Amino acid sequence: MLSVWPNLFDYQIIVPFILRLALGGSLLVLYLPTWRSTRGLFGLLAGILILIGLATQPASLATTLLLTEESWYGRHQRATLLPLLAIALALLFLGPGLFAFDWPL
């Protein structure tokens, strides 16, 4: 395959790791104020699992469903939820990446 920068393909295992850190940290920040509700605990649990790289693909599937429901009913602004939804979908297909405890399904 022809590519403009073929050397960037050497970093294809690092990218899911960076996406995992971004999504997990964002979920923790987003759901920490509402940790007493069921939705907040669900979001925090998914954020912690994604952050440490344990059950990444099931947690990103749950995060995709949670963020879709949050954006559908308008509990948060869609401008903050849609990039997180895109990252969760990317992690669902890319796998956990570097420094994870699980292997891609």
Side-chain angles (χ1 to χ4, degrees), residues 23 27 42-43 46-47 50 58-68 84-85 88:
L23 181 63
L27 286 175
F42 190 67
I50 288 173
S60 61
L61 178 64
T63 302
T64 301
L65 296 174
L66 179 69
L67 292 175
T68 302
L84 295 178
L85 183 62

Side-chain angles (χ1 to χ4, degrees), residues 1-37:
M1 166 179 18
L2 293 176
S3 177
V4 178
W5 294 290
N7 294 338
L8 289 179
F9 289 127
D10 295 338
Y11 302 108
Q12 66 186 357
I13 197 160
I14 297 173
V15 172
F17 170 67
I18 295 170
L19 290 175
R20 244 186 37 228
L21 291 180
L23 181 63
S26 298
L27 286 175
L28 290 178
V29 168
L30 188 65
Y31 288 107
L32 196 59
T34 61
W35 68 274
R36 293 187 181 189
S37 69

Side-chain angles (χ1 to χ4, degrees), residues 11-105:
Y11 302 108
Q12 66 186 357
I13 197 160
I14 297 173
V15 172
F17 170 67
I18 295 170
L19 290 175
R20 244 186 37 228
L21 291 180
L23 181 63
S26 298
L27 286 175
L28 290 178
V29 168
L30 188 65
Y31 288 107
L32 196 59
T34 61
W35 68 274
R36 293 187 181 189
S37 69
T38 306
R39 183 176 288 111
L41 284 176
F42 190 67
L44 284 175
L45 178 66
I48 289 170
L49 286 176
I50 288 173
L51 195 62
I52 63 173
L54 185 65
T56 305
Q57 289 177 319
S60 61
L61 178 64
T63 302
T64 301
L65 296 174
L66 179 69
L67 292 175
T68 302
E69 191 261 339
E70 292 272 341
S71 66
W72 184 266
Y73 290 113
R75 292 188 181 95
H76 297 284
Q77 291 184 358
R78 287 191 179 147
T80 58
L81 296 180
L82 290 180
L84 295 178
L85 183 62
I87 293 173
L89 281 172
L91 281 177
L92 182 62
F93 292 107
L94 289 176
L98 198 60
F99 303 121
F101 291 107
D102 61 347
W103 294 94
L105 297 176

